[in-house]
Amino acid sequence: MEILPQIIQVLANLGILTFVIASMAALGLSLTIKQIVEPLRNVRLLAVVLLANFVLTPALALLLKLLIPMSEGYSIGLLLLATAAGAPFLPKLVQVAKGDVPLSVGMMVLLMVVTILYAPLMLPLLLPGVQVNPLDIATSLVVLMLMPLAIGLFVKARYGELAANLQPTFAQISNVGLMLGFVALLVINGRTLLGVIGSGAIVAVLLLIVGAFLIGWLLAGKKRGARAVMGLGTAQRNVSAAFVIAGSNFSDPDVLILCMVGALLMLVALMFTAGELGKRAPATPSVATNATPAPRAKKPR
């Protein structure tokens, strides 16, 4: 019986790794470099995206950490979510919200790449007294996220038909890995997860989601499509990166539990929010950043 928990833990780690690698590969197989770069030519918007995700959202998490009583593990998990941006799920959310999908793709990849550079530098500063190895964080993020993405982009650029055939398979593998990881983590940490319910950690995660959404929404300007991207893109943190950092750098199960709770709450809250935004969108919204409205037909005399 003693070996059973070890087997389940291995399955949990395998599931999460499969989810991260397969989701990044599927993303690369569905994108082109032009799709990523084109929407990011707006320098002001670029600066606002970075400000919202890497200055204001971590600052909000620090404030919540000070105001809401939590265990050290939960506090670390909250900061991991706050410093990890660029969720692969963002384009789907924006599509449901009928926002600017091309912009969401460019923003997602930009934030993902910056996270790989930013998290290893900032986490040791945000977690004084906690042992964090910046090189280990950077290495794990590059190997598990950036490399599969780059390989997927290469295959898409050189072998388009092969990429089109492989992309749905990797997307399915990603979904299976996520389910396997979540179920195994629930089995191992079920009691701990139940302990989170009603605690300050739940409140902190919810406030982080709401606050980050408002930060992005308010900084986006007046364009509705950009507002949807900024609001959802700032609130939907990169859970894949948070899982990688938590699993390879922290032995406290509370860190991974908080990341898992954050993933579930973000999925439910932001999918609901995206649906409500989609219902309120114009009947035929434009999804291109610089799209021009179609000319009006002349009335017959």
Side-chain angles (χ1 to χ4, degrees), residues 100-186:
D100 191 333
V101 177
L103 176 61
S104 74
V105 172
M107 176 176 167
M108 172 198 61
V109 177
L110 169 72
L111 293 177
M112 188 186 306
V113 173
V114 174
T115 293
I116 292 171
L117 302 172
Y118 174 86
L121 296 176
M122 287 302 298
L123 283 173
L125 300 178
L126 296 174
L127 299 169
V130 177
Q131 291 292 330
V132 179
N133 190 322
L135 183 59
D136 286 349
I137 294 175
T139 301
S140 59
L141 291 176
V142 168
V143 172
L144 298 177
M145 299 190 71
L146 195 57
M147 286 182 63
L149 176 66
I151 292 170
L153 288 169
F154 174 79
V155 174
K156 172 72 172 177
R158 295 293 298 273
Y159 311 102
E161 186 175 347
L162 176 62
N165 292 330
L166 290 177
Q167 196 276 337
T169 301
F170 276 91
Q172 288 295 327
I173 293 173
S174 171
N175 293 336
V176 172
L178 181 60
M179 290 300 298
L180 174 63
F182 267 19
V183 170
L185 285 172
L186 285 172

Side-chain angles (χ1 to χ4, degrees), residues 4-82:
L4 183 59
Q6 298 178 12
I7 294 175
I8 297 175
Q9 183 64 59
V10 170
L11 290 175
N13 294 338
L14 180 62
I16 291 173
L17 287 176
T18 301
F19 160 66
V20 173
I21 295 172
S23 62
M24 292 300 100
L27 191 61
L29 291 168
S30 64
L31 299 176
T32 64
I33 299 296
K34 184 178 180 181
Q35 283 178 300
I36 296 170
V37 174
E38 188 66 29
L40 299 176
R41 297 183 184 275
N42 186 330
V43 178
R44 180 195 170 277
L45 183 61
L46 190 63
V48 168
V49 167
L50 296 176
L51 173 67
N53 282 273
F54 297 113
V55 178
L56 298 181
T57 299
L60 173 62
L62 281 174
L63 179 62
L64 294 172
K65 178 175 175 288
L66 292 174
L67 295 178
I68 300 176
M70 288 181 286
S71 71
E72 183 181 59
Y74 292 156
S75 298
I76 293 172
L78 187 71
L79 289 174
L80 290 187
L81 291 176

